[in-house]
Amino acid sequence: MPNILKTVIDLFTYKPPQKFKVEEYSQEQNQSFENAGGYDGEENTSEEIDWQKILMQAGAEQVQENDQGNCGAAGTSQQANDTASGIGKPTVVIKRRNRQKKGAGQGSQGVGIDEGDIALIKNGMVASNIAVNIEYVKQRFSVPKNQDIVIREFSVAKRIKAFLVFVDGMIDKTVINQFVLPQLMDTANFKDFSQGDILGYIMGNVISIYQVSRIKEYERIIHQILNGVTALFIDGCSEALLIESRGFEKRSIEAPRTENVIRGPQEGFTENLRTNLSLLRKIIKSEKLITEILPVGNKNRINCALVYLDDTADPELVEEVKRRIRNIKYDFVESSGMLEQLLEDNPFMLFPQVISTERPDRAASFIMEGQVGIVCEGSPFVIAVPVTFFHLLHSSEDTMLRWQYGTFIRLTRFLGVLIASLVPGLWMALVQFHSEMIPTPLLLSILKMREAVPFPVVVEVLLMEVAFELIREGGIRVPGLIGQTLGIIGALILGQAAVAAGLVSPILIIIVAITGIGNFVIPNYSLAMAIRIIRFFFIFMGAVLGFYGISVGLTILLALTCSMKSFGVPFLAPFTPKTRRSSDLIVRKPLYKQPVTGNYLDTVSRRSGLYHKRGE
């Protein structure tokens, strides 16, 4: 009967909503986070927190242990204040009973929890009450269900309650065990402290860590904890100390695997963000080299660093890159490969609109020319924007060799691009529509070789191209040296067997082989993939309309590439449209006649079509 009566009373009793809405303060909070840096304005997740549970747990903890100190009095005056205010066990019991009837507000006052602390923590700020802070942190990290999160409670100088929060496995335990906890727990380190700002005293006199900062916004604190930083909360302080303690495992620096060169540095980027930034700093020793770190991804929130020269990069370009990164509304961004798809101007274009590199020396050259480098955590590739067609055909080895050798290699690459994209289509058009252009002895030889082939030329070409693509993709996916062996032997056996069976003509095997070799000389993987797709487009145009179709296809391709922009820079700059020339596009000049400049990378105004001059 009492339970039924209690249920009826609860039905007619007003209960305030338990979930807190953040719309009232989100604008002010976002502004403060943006001014401080390292926060992109994401909505606070505090609406998922059970505030009633935090009050109950914090109140129970306050009943068991009276607080022995605060930030202002260093632990001696809190007990006297509690005694003067009449806080004792009988009073606590009465207030807890009243809380069950009248709500959490009166109960929190009875156990010494100020409503201002709850208001602060609901607004995403650190509360001065340590019991409220620790319960809030436990709920945000799902402790104790989440066993990777370590919450270490202790007393500063045996007087003031405090606790550390860090992720096990992402921190260096030596930092915590030797340089944080012993100094904070030693009373001798606080003999000169009586009253005042205890956080400032700890930063200046106690902790011997090179990087310590004070932050009061919970979103930034939690983001840093998930990055391997240790957070220190002290009772009576409405701020937390973030202590640099990163120490997770990482791969050592190795030679690049996708951009091999004969002459040049043999260091490659790794998956560690700080290691990659140090590799760039080692090459560009300039005080104008700026690094800005922004989180990306709504849920995983990995860090990406913007690296640029302050006096060389276009300020409008830097702001545009920041705007695009902040506007990414995607839950999971794994690496730079996903990030570049979210940053590009037009996702429906075949050609890449950013350039990625695994080599620190090449990334440094991009930054020196005025481009913006984007270093993404968890990826051994660095993105550089903006990009032009000529950037995609250059390699680090071009500069390391003498200018005659570099020019010859670049001309070879341009020839490889033309062969890889046009040769199968031209062969198709020549055989089907323009056989009169072939010399008579060669034409008779071609006809004799195709006598036993039962398929049309279109089917023959597509059959060999698809087989070649399968062999190439299979060779990449098979691990180790087996993949290379499979690619070479598979191509030889397949080609010879196809000719012997009369499925294809021998001259087509030569054409497909030359086309594949021409595709392999392209240094950029994304551009090579685009050329592979474009090759099938020209095969179709040549099979349908002959040389006229090839001409139409070239016109369409040039029109699309001329309309492309990478962060406001035309894809074919500085040729179309004609802008400031660079001495390092196709023909390489001697180094003393080739200044390092990227003036032709100025952005274009989309309204006026004019180029913005740097510094204006």
PDB file of all heavy atoms in Angstrom, residues 34 74 191 215 238 265 293 298 323 377 514:
ATOM      1  N   GLU A  34      37.069  29.068 -29.610  1.00  0.00           N
ATOM      2  CA  GLU A  34      37.770  29.489 -30.808  1.00  0.00           C
ATOM      3  C   GLU A  34      38.859  30.508 -30.494  1.00  0.00           C
ATOM      4  O   GLU A  34      39.928  30.517 -31.098  1.00  0.00           O
ATOM      5  CB  GLU A  34      36.772  30.082 -31.805  1.00  0.00           C
ATOM      6  CG  GLU A  34      35.840  29.043 -32.410  1.00  0.00           C
ATOM      7  CD  GLU A  34      34.820  29.678 -33.329  1.00  0.00           C
ATOM      8  OE1 GLU A  34      34.854  30.908 -33.470  1.00  0.00           O
ATOM      9  OE2 GLU A  34      34.009  28.939 -33.889  1.00  0.00           O
ATOM     10  N   ALA A  74      44.204  26.773   1.171  1.00  0.00           N
ATOM     11  CA  ALA A  74      45.189  25.683   1.180  1.00  0.00           C
ATOM     12  C   ALA A  74      44.859  24.641   2.221  1.00  0.00           C
ATOM     13  O   ALA A  74      45.731  24.025   2.806  1.00  0.00           O
ATOM     14  CB  ALA A  74      46.593  26.202   1.393  1.00  0.00           C
ATOM     15  N   LYS A 191      55.755  24.249   1.500  1.00  0.00           N
ATOM     16  CA  LYS A 191      56.008  24.922   2.773  1.00  0.00           C
ATOM     17  C   LYS A 191      55.983  26.432   2.625  1.00  0.00           C
ATOM     18  O   LYS A 191      55.722  27.152   3.597  1.00  0.00           O
ATOM     19  CB  LYS A 191      57.352  24.459   3.349  1.00  0.00           C
ATOM     20  CG  LYS A 191      58.547  24.801   2.445  1.00  0.00           C
ATOM     21  CD  LYS A 191      59.839  24.297   3.041  1.00  0.00           C
ATOM     22  CE  LYS A 191      61.032  24.637   2.142  1.00  0.00           C
ATOM     23  NZ  LYS A 191      62.314  24.153   2.736  1.00  0.00           N
ATOM     24  N   ILE A 215      43.226  25.102 -18.207  1.00  0.00           N
ATOM     25  CA  ILE A 215      42.040  25.150 -19.068  1.00  0.00           C
ATOM     26  C   ILE A 215      40.815  24.888 -18.193  1.00  0.00           C
ATOM     27  O   ILE A 215      40.851  24.043 -17.289  1.00  0.00           O
ATOM     28  CB  ILE A 215      42.127  24.113 -20.209  1.00  0.00           C
ATOM     29  CG1 ILE A 215      43.308  24.429 -21.126  1.00  0.00           C
ATOM     30  CG2 ILE A 215      40.846  24.086 -21.030  1.00  0.00           C
ATOM     31  CD1 ILE A 215      43.471  23.456 -22.271  1.00  0.00           C
ATOM     32  N   SER A 238      38.423  26.086 -10.094  1.00  0.00           N
ATOM     33  CA  SER A 238      37.519  25.974 -11.246  1.00  0.00           C
ATOM     34  C   SER A 238      38.278  25.856 -12.551  1.00  0.00           C
ATOM     35  O   SER A 238      37.742  26.190 -13.603  1.00  0.00           O
ATOM     36  CB  SER A 238      36.587  27.192 -11.301  1.00  0.00           C
ATOM     37  OG  SER A 238      37.344  28.385 -11.383  1.00  0.00           O
ATOM     38  N   PRO A 265      67.056  12.299 -49.853  1.00  0.00           N
ATOM     39  CA  PRO A 265      66.880  11.769 -48.501  1.00  0.00           C
ATOM     40  C   PRO A 265      66.045  10.492 -48.509  1.00  0.00           C
ATOM     41  O   PRO A 265      65.137  10.325 -49.326  1.00  0.00           O
ATOM     42  CB  PRO A 265      66.159  12.909 -47.768  1.00  0.00           C
ATOM     43  CG  PRO A 265      66.439  14.132 -48.581  1.00  0.00           C
ATOM     44  CD  PRO A 265      66.559  13.677 -49.993  1.00  0.00           C
ATOM     45  N   ILE A 293      47.001  23.373 -35.051  1.00  0.00           N
ATOM     46  CA  ILE A 293      46.403  22.041 -34.909  1.00  0.00           C
ATOM     47  C   ILE A 293      44.901  22.192 -34.724  1.00  0.00           C
ATOM     48  O   ILE A 293      44.433  22.927 -33.841  1.00  0.00           O
ATOM     49  CB  ILE A 293      47.028  21.276 -33.739  1.00  0.00           C
ATOM     50  CG1 ILE A 293      48.530  21.083 -33.988  1.00  0.00           C
ATOM     51  CG2 ILE A 293      46.348  19.927 -33.544  1.00  0.00           C
ATOM     52  CD1 ILE A 293      49.254  20.362 -32.873  1.00  0.00           C
ATOM     53  N   ASN A 298      33.575  14.297 -36.077  1.00  0.00           N
ATOM     54  CA  ASN A 298      32.638  14.574 -34.993  1.00  0.00           C
ATOM     55  C   ASN A 298      32.779  13.607 -33.831  1.00  0.00           C
ATOM     56  O   ASN A 298      32.484  13.962 -32.683  1.00  0.00           O
ATOM     57  CB  ASN A 298      31.197  14.527 -35.521  1.00  0.00           C
ATOM     58  CG  ASN A 298      30.906  15.663 -36.482  1.00  0.00           C
ATOM     59  OD1 ASN A 298      31.597  16.678 -36.493  1.00  0.00           O
ATOM     60  ND2 ASN A 298      29.884  15.489 -37.306  1.00  0.00           N
ATOM     61  N   ARG A 323      38.632  27.137 -42.855  1.00  0.00           N
ATOM     62  CA  ARG A 323      37.168  27.129 -42.946  1.00  0.00           C
ATOM     63  C   ARG A 323      36.667  25.765 -43.397  1.00  0.00           C
ATOM     64  O   ARG A 323      35.697  25.240 -42.838  1.00  0.00           O
ATOM     65  CB  ARG A 323      36.712  28.203 -43.927  1.00  0.00           C
ATOM     66  CG  ARG A 323      35.201  28.353 -44.038  1.00  0.00           C
ATOM     67  CD  ARG A 323      34.812  29.250 -45.183  1.00  0.00           C
ATOM     68  NE  ARG A 323      35.163  28.658 -46.468  1.00  0.00           N
ATOM     69  CZ  ARG A 323      34.423  27.749 -47.085  1.00  0.00           C
ATOM     70  NH1 ARG A 323      33.292  27.322 -46.546  1.00  0.00           N
ATOM     71  NH2 ARG A 323      34.801  27.255 -48.250  1.00  0.00           N
ATOM     72  N   GLU A 377      46.954  13.130 -38.328  1.00  0.00           N
ATOM     73  CA  GLU A 377      47.381  12.116 -37.368  1.00  0.00           C
ATOM     74  C   GLU A 377      46.943  10.735 -37.827  1.00  0.00           C
ATOM     75  O   GLU A 377      45.808  10.546 -38.268  1.00  0.00           O
ATOM     76  CB  GLU A 377      46.780  12.434 -35.996  1.00  0.00           C
ATOM     77  CG  GLU A 377      47.302  11.573 -34.869  1.00  0.00           C
ATOM     78  CD  GLU A 377      46.738  12.000 -33.529  1.00  0.00           C
ATOM     79  OE1 GLU A 377      45.648  12.586 -33.514  1.00  0.00           O
ATOM     80  OE2 GLU A 377      47.389  11.745 -32.507  1.00  0.00           O
ATOM     81  N   ILE A 514      52.992  -1.332 -73.720  1.00  0.00           N
ATOM     82  CA  ILE A 514      53.514   0.036 -73.764  1.00  0.00           C
ATOM     83  C   ILE A 514      52.623   0.975 -72.968  1.00  0.00           C
ATOM     84  O   ILE A 514      53.097   1.865 -72.249  1.00  0.00           O
ATOM     85  CB  ILE A 514      53.640   0.493 -75.234  1.00  0.00           C
ATOM     86  CG1 ILE A 514      54.712  -0.317 -75.951  1.00  0.00           C
ATOM     87  CG2 ILE A 514      53.962   1.979 -75.308  1.00  0.00           C
ATOM     88  CD1 ILE A 514      54.829   0.001 -77.428  1.00  0.00           C
TER      89      ILE A 514
END
